[in-house]
Amino acid sequence: MSQLPIHQVAEQVIETVVRDKLLLLSAPTGSGKSTCVPGILLDSGKIDGKIIVIQPRRAAAKFLAHHTAFLRSVKLGSEVGYSIRHDSKVNKDSKIIFMTDGLFLQQLKSNPQLKGIGAVLFDEFHERRWQMDLAFSLCRKVQEKQSHLHIMLMSATLDVDKLQAALQCPLITTEVRNFPVDIDYLIPDRQKKIWEVAANSAKKIMQTTKGSLLIFMPGKYEIMKTVNELQRSLKVPVHALHGQLNPQEQDRIIENTGQQKIIVSTNIAETSLTIPNITAVIDSGLVRQNAYDPQRQINTLYTKSISQSSAEQRAGRAGRTSAGQCLRLWSKSEQTRKMQHFEPEILRCDPSELLLQCLALGFSDLEELNLIDTPKELDQAWKVLELLGFTNSQGSLSTAGIHASKMPCSPRLAALLYYGTQADQMDKACTYAALISEPSIILNRNKKKLTDLVPGKELDFSSDLDLMAEMLFIAKSCKFQVQECDKYSLNANNCRSADLARMQFLRLCETMPRLQNFNDMHPHCCLLRAFPDYLAKRRDSSSLQVSLGNQLKGEIDRFSSQKKATLILATSIADIATSLGAKTKLSQLTAISPELLDHTFPGELLSKDEVIWDPSSKSARRAQQSCFRSLIIEEKIVDCEPDAQTEQVLANKIIDGTIKLNKWSEKLDDWIERVRKCAEIYPDKGIITYSPQDLEIVYMEMCSGLTKAKEVRDMDCLSYLKNLLSWDEQCFIEDAVPENIDIGNGKKLRIFYQVGKEIYVRAFIQQLFDLKKTPLIGPARIPLTFEILAPNHRPIQVTKNLENFWSGLYPEIKPALARRYHKHQWI
DNA sequence: AGGGATCCG
């Protein structure tokens, strides 16, 4: 391949980027954009200063630097270099520097005008990581003042339309694709699991395809299932590939042995890793992705459908070395419904780190930065910074915030480092921060409890982190040798990176000024200061259930060493979406005593004493609570004397239906309707209407002197209802809206009252023979409405005028009625 | 029963 596709547009790229200073370059994988464009720019001689190529991943930055140096026949670290965390190969004359986005952001803070830099190339910009978006916006700010800076946004799957619209800049596209890939769709049988479908298809594909097969699955679990299915029925070597494997293990799996194989992988093979000799891809169409819940400040891991551009990338993996095929486990119609691109990462993640960095850069209003996408709901991010003591009343960074913002980690871990340093707990704080920020140092956690891993069980650890710190020490003392680490179930690589982070944190903390004098008695205090809202209380001793503040619930890690503690601080909380709904999981646990909590946050451990409804005894009882902010730490429920509070609690339970009143009858409802009707007819009398507020007063009076539901249940409700009215009012009501009407010969009829309707009675015609005139009700002399029924209960007439009825309609219909109901008496 | 892959003087 002498002429890469990118070389065909080289002239155009140089011309455009020199003229417009900003260029979108959309070029497919394998076009050579990452390795060739920097050199093309350098060789043009039109860029004044270093060319920085920003990468989202360290491994990619390092690899591309190597490859670029090789292509240009220079020694790595001279003209071409790289700079990533813990590792760099550059000198002052380096012209092309590959760098990770995080590191570039850090350097921007000390070189805000980008002196000496002529071009910044953002690779894999489509991922829309917040670090890249922020760095890009800052570069644009630099361009406003200085004209020498050139910016390029590069990717295979740029959301071109949106970016071009937002940025108003030129776009260059190289359309070539390496080799054609045939795409088929298969709608999975609903009865079958996705791994069964994938494995069945794999068997067929392996009979025809020449090279290796790559299967995309969302996670480790599905990968394991797929591998099992395949190994049962195929002789071809099958490998699982995911990010938790060591780089060495990953390399061994990827390595081209010249032999056919099947690799079942997570999304890691979509962009991060390139596997040679893939001629077929099976795509489950699924990916696991985090979504941040700003209200609870918790990440949730979802299994989602991939985007169209993601599907295209995955399929493209089959066409790198020859023509290939791709089987998509979804329908063609679903393909058209899929979203074109994923939502930008900057909108999916916890924005508190972005906010902290913006504040450190002097932007308190994110609007000023003109970010392509600005995260919504920043209120919670402000609250996190406030919680950590990083902001002051003017909405800018406090001293603590300024120092914390320089730490290469999340705001919470920066708080851990800052407060740890201030409290003379630097060493422990750095170790904790390293263990929390880096991937788990423990290997194969599937079956073993954390306590069983560390030798010397007599040691009493009150924190998983202390236990892990001890294991990290063991790993270090055996120089991170894989075989030795294996014996302790330790991941040597992760131990090494945790140790590197630890040492970096130590170096940074040593230069941090001591400004505050905390007298923290224990290293766990600084954990509390960094994660005060991650404190949880066990709900019982037998289950893993815990309560967090703000009424949240969760479940602690069953492999934790801290399963006996009642008060627990978690330094990792995440929601896991399951088929049964989301579960909040707490891990990396530390036991916290109330004394330690009180010592760390003096005066915040408050006693509360209030009357509550106790469902188990069905009574109002007194809850004596000890609370830390919104978390109940201790709760004792005791019997109590009746008072105004018990009345209120019981009344509320009557209102919500928990306590049923046995003597609440139809008669009571009738009484209430009569009183309401009376209030309607005589509004100037000021009679109550038994509004919800009136009823609440009735209930409270009923509950006076009581605490138990069973005492309340059999209360004589009617007398309490009546007692809300004065004696005079009661007499007036009896007269104004009588319960019954006398219809002669000592017989009575019930009167029905309804607010907004006529007052009426319902009667058989025979009952009314003695009633010649319409009775008038109460002082207002309201005529009664009669619903007159035939013997068969069917209404004959509804009237307010009985006289008219007897003289008018009755004589007309009487003969017919008398014939039909001849056994009845007729007058 | 079930935890992706990343980054930071």
Side-chain angles (χ1 to χ4, degrees):
Chain A
M1 248 190 271
S2 59
Q3 185 81 351
L4 283 161
I6 201 74
H7 289 117
Q8 295 159 13
V9 293
E11 289 300 320
Q12 201 190 342
V13 166
I14 295 162
E15 190 191 318
T16 316
V17 80
V18 167
R19 187 186 62 224
D20 291 316
K21 311 287 185 217
L22 176 61
L23 171 63
L24 292 178
L25 177 63
S26 177
T29 325
S31 62
K33 65 179 179 331
S34 314
T35 46
C36 300
V37 172
I40 289 168
L41 290 181
L42 180 63
D43 296 339
S44 75
K46 290 182 177 159
I47 304 292
D48 180 21
K50 294 179 195 301
I51 296 162
I52 307 289
V53 188
I54 301 182
Q55 292 291 328
R57 283 163 284 279
R58 287 185 218 161
K62 200 170 163 176
F63 170 79
L64 291 170
H66 268 105
H67 199 59
T68 306
F70 167 76
L71 289 174
R72 297 180 64 78
S73 311
V74 295
K75 192 166 166 281
L76 183 66
S78 55
E79 183 193 74
V80 178
Y82 68 90
S83 198
I84 59 178
R85 192 184 187 185
H86 310 311
D87 187 12
S88 90
K89 276 208 161 48
V90 279
N91 63 28
K92 61 179 185 354
D93 298 323
S94 296
K95 290 282 181 273
I96 296 170
I97 302 169
F98 289 84
M99 205 182 267
T100 43
D101 48 14
L103 191 63
F104 181 68
L105 258 187
Q106 292 285 11
Q107 297 201 349
L108 247 167
K109 280 192 276 184
S110 58
N111 179 13
Q113 291 311 309
L114 295 174
K115 285 196 186 102
I117 294 172
V120 182
L121 280 47
F122 294 89
D123 204 3
E124 311 286 359
F125 193 75
H126 66 281
E127 290 181 21
R128 303 295 311 284
R129 292 157 54 84
W130 70 264
Q131 294 95 329
M132 276 218 199
D133 271 27
L134 176 56
F136 170 68
S137 285
L138 294 167
C139 287
R140 293 291 280 167
K141 289 269 161 203
V142 172
Q143 276 186 330
E144 286 172 12
K145 291 180 194 145
Q146 272 158 276
S147 58
H148 72 263
L149 190 67
H150 303 78
I151 305 174
M152 277 179 67
L153 302 180
M154 311 195 296
S155 164
T157 56
L158 273 182
D159 196 344
V160 165
D161 297 340
K162 182 184 167 180
L163 286 176
Q164 228 185 342
L167 303 171
Q168 301 289 322
C169 67
L171 162 75
I172 294 176
T173 315
T174 65
E175 286 293 359
V176 279
R177 159 166 257 167
N178 299 351
F179 294 94
V181 176
D182 267 347
I183 291 170
D184 285 314
Y185 294 85
L186 175 72
I187 306 165
D189 183 345
R190 287 207 164 184
Q191 309 296 314
K192 287 191 175 151
K193 299 287 184 189
I194 190 83
W195 50 84
E196 294 173 343
V197 180
N200 278 334
S201 311
K203 284 175 214 161
K204 286 175 210 145
I205 288 176
M206 287 311 283
Q207 289 166 2
T208 57
T209 202
K210 297 273 191 302
S212 296
L213 168 66
L214 174 60
I215 304 177
F216 283 102
M217 283 287 157
K220 250 172 80 174
Y221 176 76
E222 292 85 351
I223 289 175
M224 183 202 57
K225 289 285 187 186
T226 315
V227 168
N228 286 348
E229 289 280 333
L230 288 168
Q231 280 174 340
R232 260 195 288 162
S233 51
L234 281 172
K235 291 236 167 63
V236 192
V238 183
H239 303 283
L241 180 62
H242 48 81
Q244 282 158 49
L245 300 171
N246 300 334
Q248 299 90 314
E249 293 171 310
Q250 292 177 354
D251 287 346
R252 209 180 50 237
I253 290 162
I254 290 170
E255 191 189 14
N256 195 354
T257 52
Q259 212 188 359
Q260 262 197 323
K261 60 185 166 191
I262 303 177
I263 292 173
V264 193
S265 172
T266 59
N267 219 21
I268 197 170
E270 189 185 305
T271 45
S272 303
L273 297 176
T274 300
I275 306 160
N277 197 31
I278 297 292
T279 54
V281 163
I282 296 176
D283 187 356
S284 65
L286 300 171
V287 67
R288 270 205 253 283
Q289 230 176 36
N290 251 341
Y292 180 71
D293 175 354
Q295 295 314 313
R296 297 181 307 145
Q297 294 155 39
I298 285 174
N299 277 317
T300 303
L301 197 59
Y302 289 101
T303 306
K304 287 188 189 166
S305 277
I306 60 170
S307 65
Q308 288 185 15
S309 66
S310 198
E312 203 179 303
Q313 280 281 93
R314 287 180 174 190
R317 291 305 193 176
R320 301 269 299 180
T321 42
S322 68
Q325 56 178 318
C326 173
L327 179 65
R328 291 175 170 170
L329 302 183
W330 61 91
S331 66
K332 248 184 180 163
S333 66
E334 199 198 320
Q335 172 66 13
T336 58
R337 286 196 304 271
K338 276 187 187 304
M339 55 199 300
Q340 295 243 308
H341 300 272
F342 277 123
E343 195 183 16
E345 227 176 274
I346 189 171
L347 297 178
R348 289 201 315 254
C349 65
D350 175 358
S352 59
E353 192 170 356
L354 170 69
L355 181 62
L356 178 60
Q357 293 307 317
C358 290
L359 291 173
L361 287 155
F363 295 92
S364 57
D365 182 6
L366 264 58
E367 296 296 323
E368 279 176 62
L369 277 161
N370 289 319
L371 291 165
I372 300 169
D373 285 290
T374 305
K376 317 247 169 338
E377 308 191 66
L378 281 164
D379 299 8
Q380 288 298 325
W382 280 101
K383 278 191 191 147
V384 172
L385 298 189
E386 195 189 325
L387 185 74
L388 301 173
F390 290 172
T391 52
N392 55 31
S393 49
Q394 292 92 52
S396 56
L397 285 186
S398 64
T399 319
I402 291 167
H403 289 289
S405 72
K406 294 173 183 162
M407 294 293 132
C409 54
S410 71
R412 284 181 192 273
L413 295 184
L416 169 55
L417 294 172
Y418 176 78
Y419 293 113
T421 304
Q422 301 307 320
D424 262 329
Q425 304 282 359
M426 190 200 288
D427 194 77
K428 269 287 172 155
C430 289
T431 308
Y432 292 155
L435 288 167
I436 298 164
S437 77
E438 297 304 300
S440 173
I441 62 166
I442 312 285
L443 207 63
N444 304 331
R445 289 202 41 193
N446 347 348
K447 294 250 153 58
K448 279 186 189 165
K449 276 190 227 140
L450 211 47
T451 19
D452 295 340
L453 297 176
V454 75
K457 281 177 194 156
E458 71 279 3
L459 289 168
D460 184 25
F461 293 102
S462 59
S463 169
D464 288 342
L465 290 167
D466 287 325
L467 223 139
M468 282 160 68
E470 188 64 23
M471 304 205 33
L472 182 59
F473 179 77
I474 292 170
K476 188 167 190 165
S477 50
C478 61
K479 299 199 168 66
F480 305 113
Q481 282 175 43
V482 177
Q483 291 94 333
E484 286 299 306
C485 286
D486 259 2
K487 285 185 200 160
Y488 298 103
S489 295
L490 286 168
N491 179 320
N493 281 277
N494 291 352
C495 286
R496 199 187 291 270
S497 58
D499 195 52
L500 280 169
R502 183 183 148 268
M503 290 192 298
Q504 186 192 21
F505 290 148
L506 275 171
R507 279 199 305 278
L508 293 170
C509 287
E510 268 155 17
T511 62
M512 196 191 282
R514 306 291 179 93
L515 301 159
Q516 279 161 293
N517 201 11
F518 287 117
N519 184 23
D520 283 355
M521 58 178 177
H522 198 280
H524 293 169
C525 295
C526 51
L527 287 172
L528 266 173
R529 293 186 197 279
F531 297 90
D533 49 339
Y534 281 17
L535 193 65
K537 163 79 168 47
R538 284 291 284 280
R539 293 161 67 78
D540 54 67
S541 53
S542 54
S543 80
L544 301 171
Q545 306 294 317
V546 293
S547 300
L548 285 141
N550 296 324
Q551 319 255 313
L552 301 176
K553 294 191 187 353
E555 202 178 292
I556 58 168
D557 178 8
R558 63 201 163 105
F559 298 110
S560 171
S561 64
Q562 301 304 312
K563 293 210 294 196
K564 284 180 188 153
T566 54
L567 197 56
I568 291 171
L569 183 70
T571 51
S572 164
I573 300 186
D575 265 17
I576 311 295
T578 68
S579 57
L580 307 163
K583 248 190 204 172
T584 304
K585 287 220 168 185
L586 289 76
S587 49
Q588 297 175 331
L589 310 179
T590 299
I592 298 288
S593 66
E595 293 73 37
L596 195 81
L597 187 59
D598 188 44
H599 188 275
T600 315
F601 298 107
E604 291 206 57
L605 214 53
L606 299 174
S607 303
K608 274 191 205 162
D609 194 332
E610 57 184 15
V611 177
I612 56 143
W613 169 254
D614 174 26
S616 60
S617 66
K618 294 192 172 56
S619 60
R621 299 179 83 194
R622 189 163 284 285
Q624 294 169 339
Q625 297 175 329
S626 160
C627 298
F628 171 69
R629 301 181 187 177
S630 60
L631 178 71
I632 301 164
I633 291 190
E634 249 178 74
E635 186 170 46
K636 218 169 28 174
I637 296 176
V638 294
D639 287 340
C640 62
E641 293 301 313
D643 61 8
Q645 289 181 62
T646 57
E647 283 171 18
Q648 183 68 61
V649 166
L650 292 173
N652 287 346
K653 288 292 136 183
I654 297 174
I655 292 166
D656 75 16
T658 310
I659 300 178
K660 297 235 161 33
L661 297 168
N662 294 335
K663 295 204 172 153
W664 190 284
S665 59
E666 208 176 295
K667 213 175 159 192
L668 261 83
D669 292 325
D670 290 345
W671 169 256
I672 290 173
E673 278 306 322
R674 279 170 69 198
V675 174
R676 285 179 180 163
K677 188 71 190 178
C678 188
E680 182 191 57
I681 304 168
Y682 308 97
D684 52 334
K685 290 277 176 188
I687 292 169
I688 57 152
T689 56
Y690 291 114
S691 66
Q693 291 81 4
D694 295 331
L695 287 174
E696 188 175 349
I697 294 169
V698 173
Y699 299 149
M700 285 179 64
E701 281 177 9
M702 274 168 53
C703 298
S704 164
L706 308 177
T707 58
K708 295 186 174 66
K710 67 175 180 198
E711 298 167 329
V712 177
R713 254 178 236 139
D714 293 320
M715 295 299 287
D716 178 13
C717 311
L718 184 58
S719 59
Y720 282 94
L721 279 174
K722 286 188 173 175
N723 277 345
L724 212 58
L725 297 151
S726 70
W727 178 250
D728 284 348
E729 284 172 329
Q730 290 185 42
C731 291
F732 179 74
I733 288 162
E734 292 294 353
D735 181 42
V737 284
E739 199 175 357
N740 305 306
I741 179 80
D742 207 323
I743 50 166
N745 26 358
K747 285 187 189 148
K748 284 177 176 182
L749 284 177
R750 182 179 156 198
I751 308 179
F752 294 93
Y753 297 94
Q754 261 178 299
V755 172
K757 292 193 176 160
E758 304 285 356
I759 303 172
Y760 74 100
V761 293
R762 188 178 286 144
F764 291 109
I765 192 163
Q766 278 83 10
Q767 294 178 289
L768 299 174
F769 286 161
D770 292 334
L771 210 59
K772 300 298 178 203
K773 276 182 162 183
T774 305
L776 301 169
I777 302 297
R781 307 191 60 74
I782 299 167
L784 202 52
T785 301
F786 282 84
E787 199 177 308
I788 306 169
L789 307 178
N792 65 347
H793 298 258
R794 301 292 283 276
I796 299 168
Q797 196 182 29
V798 177
T799 180
K800 274 190 214 179
N801 195 332
L802 279 181
E803 265 176 312
N804 272 359
F805 175 73
W806 293 129
S807 60
L809 185 66
Y810 181 67
E812 290 172 29
I813 58 173
K814 182 185 153 189
L817 287 168
R819 252 195 321 276
R820 192 180 311 171
Y821 306 105
H822 58 271
K823 284 182 185 162
H824 290 76
Q825 188 201 347
W826 300 95
I827 56 165

